[in-house]
Amino acid sequence: MTKQRYYWGITKFVLGTAIGVGLVLIPFSFANGVDTILFHYLKLFIAQYHFAVQTLVTILVVLSALLALIDWLIPTTILHKQRLLKKLFSTTPFYVINRLLGAVVALMCYLKVGPLFIISPDTGTAMLDLATQLSVLVPLMLLFQTFILEFGAMEFLSELIGFIVKPLFKVSELCAVNIISAWVGPGNAAIIGTQELFKKGYFTVREAATIGSQFATSSIGWVVLVCSVLGVMPYFGLIFLGITLVGVIIGAIGVRIPPISRYPSTYVDGSTTRPIKITREGNKWHTALVNASNRANTVSIKNFTTKIDNMTFYVFWLSPIIIIWGTAALALSLYTPLLAWISLPVEWILRLFGVADAKVTASAIMSGFADNYLPVILGKGIGSASSRIILAMMSIEQLIFMSEIATLLKSCNIVQKFSHIVIIFLERTFLALPFVIWYVQLLF
């Protein structure tokens, strides 16, 4: 690589990363509170055009259900042949039914027709409002995160900390970049990317399972969203630091206990020798800069346009599921004692540590298995700021939730059995909870 190309790459790396950090990560004070630049102005847009946006989202949710049903009943249409359409609308009967139910709930809440336990402002209407907000915030967050994820920051950091991940998480140094990108980037993209690299021979079965089940969070932008909705944005820096520290601890434990510890250290061809050879030149700092420069030099408009897949995937695939599962979880929480029963062990732990609003906080935490935003919905009315901070951190640390990550882990065969997914969720919940409480009580 010529010096001119090297320095041009470094310039793109620094400027691109700075734009991403400035737009997506750094909180600023605005008239209505503390928020990031991107989220502040998107929320103003949603507030001003809420009815129009909600109407559009309802139409898209209904369209998603109808097209999925058509593809299921008539698999010879263009929906099954065109790449993006197939990704968006070709799915299993289970998820077709989920989309149809989500569309029915969305229409009932939009038209204000149906039983109260579904269309109540505390259940279905709350989830339709949430879907309206997230259908704008999340796709654009995924787009602008490109500046952070694809301008060399991940390659730069992974080279500098690769030697740490090997003993901590029992993986090769090559996993560092995927661990970092999975931690700060969209979890769905991280899991799909990990599966692709596994098939190419970069990772073992256990390494792929480790990255997917221990580090594929909902992204740093999602942490910003959670903190913003829960009203704890002024503490974002400390919250994300705590999430990372606790995540390292429970990740290190998680890879050393079943089920992950029992996964084989073999590559895609069944061998124990990596088929991909990696060479490095110079010291770590030089290599980190060269890798960052190389990655930045590959950036083009295509890096942004390819995000259309994940942006549309969120709206068409996940919005109906969030609406139906969220409504079901909220209805069960508000109209039945089921969620309270399930969350009793968590409530006992919270009470043991003297956490305020233990009952509501526990129910919110355990609702995370259905969808990672349910804890935020159930807990945003909690009076105690420290309890809301605990909830914000736990909603990220749990990592496994049925509406997306759990489904991807199983469908990509990164986690071998559904029972393993349930076990990992419970492990992460009960391992993380004491550390999160200690951290919050120490610093807040």
Side-chain angles (χ1 to χ4, degrees):
M1 180 170 57
T2 64
K3 282 189 174 181
Q4 182 179 2
R5 183 169 175 78
Y6 169 75
Y7 287 117
W8 174 236
I10 293 295
T11 302
K12 290 171 69 176
F13 157 56
V14 173
L15 290 178
T17 303
I19 291 171
V21 170
L23 286 175
V24 178
L25 298 186
I26 299 178
F28 293 90
S29 292
F30 295 96
N32 60 341
V34 177
D35 215 335
T36 64
I37 293 174
L38 178 65
F39 277 27
H40 171 72
Y41 286 105
L42 287 178
K43 286 177 182 176
L44 289 181
F45 172 82
I46 294 168
Q48 185 172 355
Y49 301 103
H50 183 269
F51 178 75
V53 175
Q54 187 166 89
T55 301
L56 178 60
V57 168
T58 303
I59 292 170
L60 293 178
V61 166
V62 172
L63 185 64
S64 170
L66 292 176
L67 292 178
L69 180 63
I70 291 170
D71 181 79
W72 179 30
L73 297 175
I74 313 172
T76 56
T77 67
I78 190 174
L79 296 173
H80 210 74
K81 298 174 182 177
Q82 201 275 337
R83 183 195 63 81
L84 182 57
L85 293 178
K86 183 176 181 179
K87 178 179 179 180
L88 294 177
F89 304 113
S90 293
T91 184
T92 63
F94 175 77
Y95 283 104
V96 172
I97 293 170
N98 272 269
R99 291 196 197 194
L100 289 169
L101 292 173
V104 170
V105 170
L107 279 174
M108 289 170 66
C109 295
Y110 181 78
L111 298 173
K112 308 298 183 197
V113 175
L116 182 63
F117 75 92
I118 292 179
I119 67 169
S120 164
D122 297 319
T123 55
T125 299
M127 292 311 300
L128 180 58
D129 287 340
L130 172 65
T132 300
Q133 185 180 46
L134 296 187
S135 292
V136 176
L137 294 180
V138 175
L140 289 174
M141 176 190 71
L142 294 174
L143 179 66
F144 282 96
Q145 276 189 161
T146 303
F147 287 106
I148 300 172
L149 298 178
E150 299 192 23
F151 275 75
M154 298 303 100
E155 285 71 16
F156 179 77
L157 290 174
S158 68
E159 183 61 35
L160 298 180
I161 70 166
F163 72 98
I164 299 175
V165 303
K166 186 173 184 178
L168 264 180
F169 309 122
K170 302 180 72 173
V171 296
S172 70
E173 292 92 334
L174 279 181
C175 294
V177 65
N178 279 68
I179 286 174
I180 295 173
S181 60
W183 193 253
V184 302
N188 53 13
I191 291 171
I192 294 168
T194 297
Q195 182 199 36
E196 290 174 358
L197 290 175
F198 167 72
K199 289 180 177 178
K200 292 178 181 178
Y202 282 90
F203 304 142
T204 65
V205 174
R206 183 187 294 176
E207 287 171 343
T210 295
I211 295 169
S213 69
Q214 303 297 320
F215 301 105
T217 66
S218 301
S219 83
I220 195 168
W222 188 267
V223 181
V224 173
L225 178 65
V226 167
C227 290
S228 178
V229 174
L230 285 175
V232 293
M233 197 62 204
Y235 313 108
F236 169 75
L238 287 174
I239 289 171
F240 189 73
L241 174 63
I243 288 170
T244 302
L245 292 175
V246 175
V248 167
I249 294 170
I250 62 175
I253 297 172
V255 301
R256 288 170 168 81
I257 59 177
I260 299 301
S261 65
R262 294 180 178 173
Y263 281 36
S265 295
T266 54
Y267 292 90
V268 66
D269 58 1
S271 71
T272 56
T273 303
R274 183 190 298 124
I276 301 294
K277 304 299 180 184
I278 302 295
T279 58
R280 290 186 173 90
E281 297 180 5
N283 59 41
K284 287 185 176 295
W285 179 257
H286 176 71
T287 303
L289 288 173
V290 169
N291 289 345
S293 177
N294 284 336
R295 180 61 184 272
N297 278 323
T298 66
V299 174
S300 67
I301 192 66
K302 188 177 179 180
N303 292 83
F304 293 88
T305 57
T306 53
K307 297 298 180 293
I308 291 172
D309 276 29
N310 283 336
M311 293 166 70
T312 52
F313 179 89
Y314 184 89
V315 175
F316 285 102
W317 185 287
L318 293 181
S319 291
I321 294 174
I322 288 173
I323 290 171
I324 182 58
W325 288 6
T327 300
L330 288 171
L332 286 172
S333 174
L334 294 173
Y335 293 93
T336 77
L338 181 61
L339 188 56
W341 292 343
I342 294 172
S343 59
L344 271 176
V346 174
E347 182 182 344
W348 294 335
I349 295 172
L350 294 172
R351 291 190 187 281
L352 180 64
F353 284 91
V355 176
D357 301 305
K359 186 178 180 66
V360 178
T361 305
S363 295
I365 288 172
M366 289 307 290
S367 72
F369 187 62
D371 184 82
N372 66 332
Y373 203 72
L374 285 181
V376 181
I377 292 296
L378 291 174
K380 64 181 181 180
I382 292 174
S384 167
S386 62
S387 295
R388 281 183 276 121
I389 292 170
I390 289 171
L391 185 57
M393 293 177 65
M394 286 300 299
S395 72
I396 305 298
E397 296 289 7
Q398 287 172 312
L399 194 142
I400 308 291
F401 53 97
M402 284 302 300
S403 63
E404 182 181 7
I405 295 299
T407 304
L408 278 172
L409 286 172
K410 187 65 182 71
S411 62
C412 291
N413 292 318
I414 287 178
V415 172
Q416 295 169 353
K417 298 179 180 179
F418 179 75
S419 60
H420 292 179
I421 289 173
V422 177
I423 291 168
I424 292 168
F425 169 80
L426 294 173
E427 286 176 350
R428 292 189 64 86
T429 298
F430 288 100
L431 284 172
L433 188 56
F435 291 108
V436 168
I437 294 171
W438 286 330
Y439 180 84
V440 172
Q441 290 183 340
L442 179 65
L443 293 182
F444 300 94

